[in-house]
Amino acid sequence: MVQENLKVVRDKIEAACSRSGRDYSDVTLISVSKTKPVELIMEAYNAGEREFGENKVQEIMEKYDKLPSDINWHLIGHLQRNKVKYIIDKVNMIHSVDSLRLAEEISKEAVKHGVHMDILLEVNVSEEESKFGFRCIELYDAVKEISNLPNVTIKGLMTIAPFVTNPEENREFFCDLRKLSVDIAEKNIDNVYMCELSMGMTGDYEVAIEEGATFVRVGTGIFGERNYKGE
Ligand SMILES: *Cc1c(COP(=O)(O)O)cnc(C)c1O
């Protein structure tokens, strides 16, 4: 099932790329494997996927040693500062940096472990109260502060759009995130790269690609529905 689903998702990514005059290789699919067992993750791995996303530190810790070491792990969920130390040498990118204090902690742990961490700043472009992330107006000051921290590099921005039935409703938020990233790129801040836009999930990744996504985070569309409440 995973293999068939992946084919559908890849075809849709390709179609969205060609509709918007983009190169397929500019968009990286992240298979969001949260709540899913190692066996299912291996099906995606055997179908060629290497980029996987999890939203909980505990879950990455449990799965990490059971899976091949050439997987690139992306932390995409809210991260508590006291848990940074557990994943600092395991994940390739943290997409969900939502405060200066979290960025400082990531920097501190990266220095301690002698590693470097690429991060994305999460922006709450839709301004939903329930969501984590910087507000648009806070972003520039945060970028400037974080750019001075050792052993972390800002590679771009991330957003989680509202849950909607018509993905077109989220187009404006994806567009807003891209505009923000262009504005920040134009300031030419040292150690800040605005090359990545992590946006789009199962319900809306095609629209996100049309609006410039470089990472799409797809869970349900690959692994099927998750069996827990509160999703
Ligand atoms: C769960 C999750 C996803 C994937 O959601 P689907 O709708 O299942 O594709 C993407 N991004 C984040 C941050 C998530 O927590």
Side-chain angles (χ1 to χ4, degrees), residues 87-88 91-94 106 110 115-119 151-153:
I87 48 97
I88 194 72
V91 307
N92 287 70
M93 188 178 272
I94 300 173
I106 294 168
V115 297
H116 190 98
M117 186 59 70
D118 288 335
I119 63 172
N151 294 40
V152 295
T153 302

Side-chain angles (χ1 to χ4, degrees), residues 98 121-127 133-145 157 176-177 179-181 183-184 187:
D98 53 14
L121 302 194
E122 179 173 352
V123 189
N124 185 1
V125 273
S126 56
E127 299 193 335
F134 292 98
R135 288 182 304 152
C136 299
I137 51 161
E138 302 171 327
L139 189 64
Y140 178 55
D141 286 337
V143 168
K144 275 193 297 185
E145 297 269 359
L157 305 177
D176 287 347
L177 194 72
K179 283 189 200 145
L180 272 175
S181 101
D183 288 347
I184 290 173
K187 314 267 190 204

Side-chain angles (χ1 to χ4, degrees), residues 30 32 34 54-55 76-78 96 122 158-160 163 198 200-203 205 216-222 224 226 228 231:
I30 298 180
V32 177
K34 64 191 188 199
E54 289 280 347
N55 67 340
I76 60 174
H78 178 63
S96 42
E122 179 173 352
M158 177 270 215
T159 199
I160 303 176
F163 185 78
S198 173
M201 317 191 348
T202 296
Y205 65 92
V216 289
R217 312 178 304 264
V218 180
T220 315
I222 296 172
R226 289 176 291 271
Y228 62 86
E231 251 310 308

Side-chain angles (χ1 to χ4, degrees), residues 32-144:
V32 177
S33 49
K34 64 191 188 199
T35 79
K36 298 298 176 183
V38 165
E39 298 73 51
L40 273 192
I41 300 177
M42 277 313 291
E43 284 187 37
Y45 180 92
N46 289 330
E49 294 304 315
R50 292 296 178 271
E51 313 295 320
F52 289 86
E54 289 280 347
N55 67 340
K56 292 210 168 75
V57 166
Q58 180 67 27
E59 221 175 319
I60 293 186
M61 304 279 289
E62 282 165 16
K63 291 173 177 173
Y64 187 82
D65 286 327
K66 299 182 184 143
L67 285 156
S69 59
D70 63 343
I71 285 180
N72 294 322
W73 290 102
H74 299 257
L75 188 76
I76 60 174
H78 178 63
L79 176 58
Q80 287 169 298
R81 279 177 295 137
N82 61 355
K83 294 190 176 157
V84 171
K85 56 180 177 287
Y86 300 120
I87 48 97
I88 194 72
D89 56 354
K90 294 188 172 58
V91 307
N92 287 70
M93 188 178 272
I94 300 173
H95 292 231
S96 42
V97 176
D98 53 14
S99 71
L100 174 59
R101 292 174 77 201
L102 174 59
E104 286 169 346
E105 182 67 19
I106 294 168
S107 171
K108 195 185 96 191
E109 288 296 328
V111 169
K112 201 196 267 181
H113 287 79
V115 297
H116 190 98
M117 186 59 70
D118 288 335
I119 63 172
L120 305 179
L121 302 194
E122 179 173 352
V123 189
N124 185 1
V125 273
S126 56
E127 299 193 335
E128 285 178 288
E129 281 194 19
S130 58
K131 290 246 161 76
F132 291 104
F134 292 98
R135 288 182 304 152
C136 299
I137 51 161
E138 302 171 327
L139 189 64
Y140 178 55
D141 286 337
V143 168
K144 275 193 297 185

